[in-house]
Amino acid sequence: MKKVTLALAACMALFFISCEGPQGPPGFDGFDGNNGLDGQDGIQGQVFELEGVNFGYDAEANLWSVVETFADYTNFEIFESDAVLVYRFDGQIDLADGSTADAWSLIPQNFFVPEGTMQYTVAHTFLDFELFIDGNFDLSLLSTDFTDNQTFRIVIVPSEFLQSADFDQTNIDSVMGKMGLEMNQIQKLELQ
């Protein structure tokens, strides 16, 4: 009797497992997020470094500037809500242990020179950016130490990161760490 009951239970299990009912309504289409690094979807920032930046002087506006399009340097989609942080390379500094480290300053960055005050600053849209030098004196007198062969790091920061209470935009290492970016991920590019 136990064999018959066991056989009957096995047949009933197969019957219920193999049954299909009418097809249900389709589910909702999900949102396919932006593709991140290594195939991971999610929020991702980007950083690239421009070397050899030479500013052009505009006598009518009395400023030095260079305008570049993001698409020339990256295939990363930039949104209007993203922040664009720009850091200027100030040179290398000597550390107490005898090694050196790169020094970066977030712009706007002011300098007080004998002729007056000058400032590196940036303006951007989600398509392009303009780096320029403004000042309160005749900038045609500005030394080429400020206008030629400059290096800048441009960091695209998704707005979600900016809302974090511990986000310190003044420190490039902190910004990159918060976004999960490593130094070896920085694209070093010559100005086109």
Side-chain angles (χ1 to χ4, degrees), residues 70-143:
F70 287 116
D72 291 340
Y73 300 100
T74 181
N75 60 0
F76 187 79
E77 184 175 8
I78 299 169
F79 299 99
E80 289 189 61
S81 60
D82 291 345
V84 177
L85 303 178
V86 179
Y87 298 85
R88 180 178 168 272
F89 179 65
D90 287 328
Q92 291 192 325
I93 57 172
D94 295 324
L95 300 177
D97 65 0
S99 63
T100 60
D102 291 345
W104 295 93
S105 295
L106 178 66
I107 63 173
Q109 181 184 24
N110 294 318
F111 288 89
F112 303 98
V113 294
E115 298 84 6
T117 304
M118 48 107 13
Q119 178 183 59
Y120 287 98
T121 192
V122 63
H124 69 86
T125 68
F126 65 98
L127 298 173
D128 59 10
F129 61 98
E130 178 180 20
L131 299 170
F132 58 97
I133 303 171
D134 197 4
N136 63 0
F137 61 94
D138 180 4
L139 291 176
S140 67
L141 305 173
L142 193 60
S143 167

Side-chain angles (χ1 to χ4, degrees), residues 52-58 63-67 88 107 119-121 130-134 142 144 146-152 191:
V53 176
N54 294 314
F55 289 84
Y57 182 66
D58 179 348
L63 59 82
W64 295 85
S65 69
V66 61
V67 178
R88 180 178 168 272
I107 63 173
Q119 178 183 59
Y120 287 98
T121 192
E130 178 180 20
L131 299 170
F132 58 97
I133 303 171
D134 197 4
L142 193 60
T144 57
F146 292 106
T147 62
D148 293 353
N149 201 29
Q150 300 294 306
T151 301
F152 294 91
L191 192 64

Side-chain angles (χ1 to χ4, degrees), residues 43-48 70 76-87 106 124 153-164 167-169 171-172 174-176 178-179 181:
I43 302 165
Q44 183 67 42
Q46 182 163 332
V47 60
F48 60 95
F70 287 116
F76 187 79
E77 184 175 8
I78 299 169
F79 299 99
E80 289 189 61
S81 60
D82 291 345
V84 177
L85 303 178
V86 179
Y87 298 85
L106 178 66
H124 69 86
R153 278 196 184 154
I154 292 87
V155 183
I156 312 303
V157 183
S159 60
E160 289 81 359
F161 288 108
L162 296 173
Q163 297 169 0
S164 173
F167 188 81
D168 178 13
Q169 70 182 15
N171 183 328
I172 192 167
S174 173
V175 170
M176 290 181 58
K178 187 73 174 171
M179 294 190 308
L181 296 171

